[in-house]
Amino acid sequence: MTTYVWDYLPEYEAERADILDAVQKVFASGRLVLGESVRGFEAEYAAYHGVGHCVGVDNGTNAVKLALEAVGVGRGDEVITVSNTAAPTVVAIDEVGATPVFVDVRAEDYLMDTTLVEAAITPRTKAILPVHLYGQCVDMAPLRRLADEHGLKIVEDCAQAHGARHNGELAGTMSDAAAFSFYPTKVLGAYGDGGAVITADAEADRALRRLRYYGMEQTYYVVATPGHNSRLDEVQAEILRRKLTRLDDYVEGRRRIARRYAEELGDLCGPGGLQLPSVTEGNEHVYYVYVVRHPRRDEIIQRLKDRHDISLNISYPWPVHTMTGFAHLGVAKGTLPVTEALAEQIFSLPMYPAMPEGLQDKVISALREVLREL
Ligand SMILES: *Cc1c(COP(=O)(O)O)cnc(C)c1O
């Protein structure tokens, strides 16, 4: 059987009774949309983060989109972000009619290089959108300083960083609004699509509730601007409530596998060879993806596939600014050298908390064998 970087079935095996009970509870509740489970999840997810508000939405892309709209980003504005991210980050900026402006990432942790942000600010800049990529946080203090100085908003893309901490603070609590995805692979994953925005700002919360509900505050009446239909599904919300009680365990499970990879692959690392993820000081990593780097990435992936039936992923093979769908931005190849170099060398090892130990053994020994033979 092929080994993939992610598989939800072992977790479902372990949690089946609870998940099916959640489904049954919603089906029997008499309320299928925006009912008790969405309200309950919103209260519990806000409480987990110690913030005042959480608004459940239909997916992470729309969480980013609605967060941007709720803090006032719209047509003609510029949003500073990175090109080394999941394309949806940038799709969301495009959807609100704003223009993404990319800064490069750091070679050490592949996250937004905050020293480049000030030079990217123009009179049209409205917000900074740091992405806590792979499960660890962008350095937020310099962004806060710049935002205060230039009157900008900050929206965190936390789609990969549920439970991650930065200098003790939870991802999502260091900005004006923070977007989460509950896509099944994520650290907190639903059994289908889901998302949420958290915020400490009551005005943003009110705007978000309107925006996900056609622009209505009261049924059948659009108040300010037309919104969207972007509600979190009641069934997914109830499943997420159950899984939220286990979020810290999921994170611990991921860290255990990360420690194992580091212990068993550490001796193969070196200049020009394998590089394991580096955790930046002040960060508590949640390892949404375990991203390693090697100059001969493509050969390694091919051999693991051909000889060991291990199918690895690349997060991400194409920097967003090089995709034909974003050619209209006119960002030339070569302008984000670290991002572009990374995309040629990174790949991800299997990582999910319920990953069987035998599979971990298989991945480790196969990778050791392939690297030895290179
Ligand atoms: C997954 C992801 C999204 C999009 O979330 P969906 O729920 O798939 O719409 C946005 N940003 C990042 C960084 C992601 O990893």
Side-chain angles (χ1 to χ4, degrees):
M1 243 194 11
T2 307
T3 300
Y4 294 100
V5 288
W6 180 80
D7 178 7
Y8 76 92
L9 288 172
E11 184 181 282
Y12 181 54
E13 275 309 303
E15 300 184 2
R16 185 202 305 264
D18 194 34
I19 300 302
L20 294 182
D21 183 67
V23 175
Q24 159 67 19
K25 181 182 163 187
V26 172
F27 283 9
S29 73
R31 177 90 194 241
L32 296 172
V33 176
L34 291 187
E36 191 191 313
S37 295
V38 167
R39 269 196 302 278
F41 174 70
E42 288 175 342
E44 288 150 16
Y45 204 58
Y48 179 88
H49 291 90
V51 299
H53 311 277
C54 169
V55 179
V57 299
D58 51 350
N59 58 64
T61 310
N62 286 340
V64 177
K65 180 176 93 175
L66 268 60
L68 288 169
E69 289 184 332
V71 303
V73 176
R75 201 153 296 286
D77 294 331
E78 289 176 359
V79 177
I80 299 172
T81 191
V82 288
S83 179
N84 182 41
T85 183
T89 307
V90 187
V91 169
I93 296 171
D94 183 75
E95 283 242 304
V96 305
T99 303
V101 173
F102 300 117
V103 295
D104 212 347
V105 294
R106 305 193 286 206
E108 304 76 45
D109 58 13
Y110 315 154
L111 299 172
M112 175 182 269
D113 184 342
T114 59
T115 65
L116 302 174
V117 172
E118 186 155 29
I121 296 173
T122 77
R124 289 170 60 200
T125 307
K126 190 69 178 246
I128 308 170
L129 178 39
V131 183
H132 302 319
L133 201 70
Y134 308 140
Q136 71 174 328
C137 293
V138 172
D139 190 9
M140 294 300 285
L143 297 185
R144 188 75 268 162
R145 267 196 307 278
L146 286 172
D148 290 346
E149 227 176 278
H150 296 266
L152 309 176
K153 299 292 186 179
I154 302 179
V155 170
E156 289 165 87
D157 184 338
C158 299
Q160 306 195 356
H162 316 68
R165 285 178 187 268
H166 177 66
N167 298 327
E169 315 248 24
L170 273 170
T173 64
M174 300 176 280
S175 60
D176 298 285
F180 288 85
S181 164
F182 307 121
Y183 185 75
T185 60
K186 308 288 180 173
V187 178
L188 180 61
Y191 278 67
D193 281 308
V197 182
I198 65 172
T199 180
D201 177 0
E203 267 311 300
D205 172 67
R206 201 168 150 197
L208 288 161
R209 287 179 193 283
R210 222 170 33 228
L211 288 165
R212 75 162 172 194
Y213 189 64
Y214 320 110
M216 296 175 183
E217 288 187 351
Q218 168 191 335
T219 304
Y220 304 141
Y221 193 93
V222 174
V223 194
T225 51
H228 317 279
N229 179 356
S230 279
R231 299 178 292 244
L232 176 61
D233 181 78
E234 192 72 359
V235 173
Q236 299 304 339
E238 188 59 31
I239 292 172
L240 287 165
R241 293 178 80 177
R242 313 295 176 99
K243 292 191 67 178
L244 178 58
T245 65
R246 299 187 280 272
L247 174 55
D248 293 341
D249 299 331
Y250 299 143
V251 168
E252 190 40 48
R254 287 173 179 275
R255 288 186 180 139
R256 202 173 308 124
I257 296 170
R259 278 196 295 275
R260 217 179 147 212
Y261 281 147
E263 275 162 21
E264 311 228 17
L265 300 169
D267 62 305
L268 301 172
C269 293
L274 187 69
Q275 269 175 266
L276 300 179
S278 98
V279 183
T280 297
E281 199 183 320
N283 271 342
E284 294 170 51
H285 205 309
V286 296
Y287 299 100
Y288 167 58
V289 271
Y290 192 88
V291 173
V292 303
R293 182 174 183 172
H294 196 289
R296 295 171 71 181
R297 184 261 320 266
D298 293 340
E299 290 165 78
I300 296 169
I301 288 184
Q302 195 61 51
R303 288 189 199 184
L304 285 168
K305 175 95 203 91
D306 294 347
R307 299 196 202 154
H308 301 276
D309 204 12
I310 295 173
S311 173
L312 297 187
N313 259 18
I314 300 171
S315 295
Y316 294 91
W318 304 286
V320 176
H321 69 285
T322 66
M323 297 178 185
T324 50
F326 291 101
H328 61 281
L329 297 175
V331 182
K333 223 174 160 183
T335 50
L336 299 167
V338 180
T339 297
E340 291 169 28
L342 273 181
E344 315 248 296
Q345 300 193 344
I346 52 176
F347 60 109
S348 315
L349 304 188
M351 171 59 84
Y352 49 102
M355 183 179 174
E357 222 170 287
L359 271 190
Q360 299 171 32
D361 298 338
K362 177 180 161 185
V363 169
I364 289 164
S365 69
L367 186 59
R368 291 192 68 86
E369 186 189 306
V370 166
L371 286 172
R372 252 196 327 268
E373 285 177 6
L374 269 191

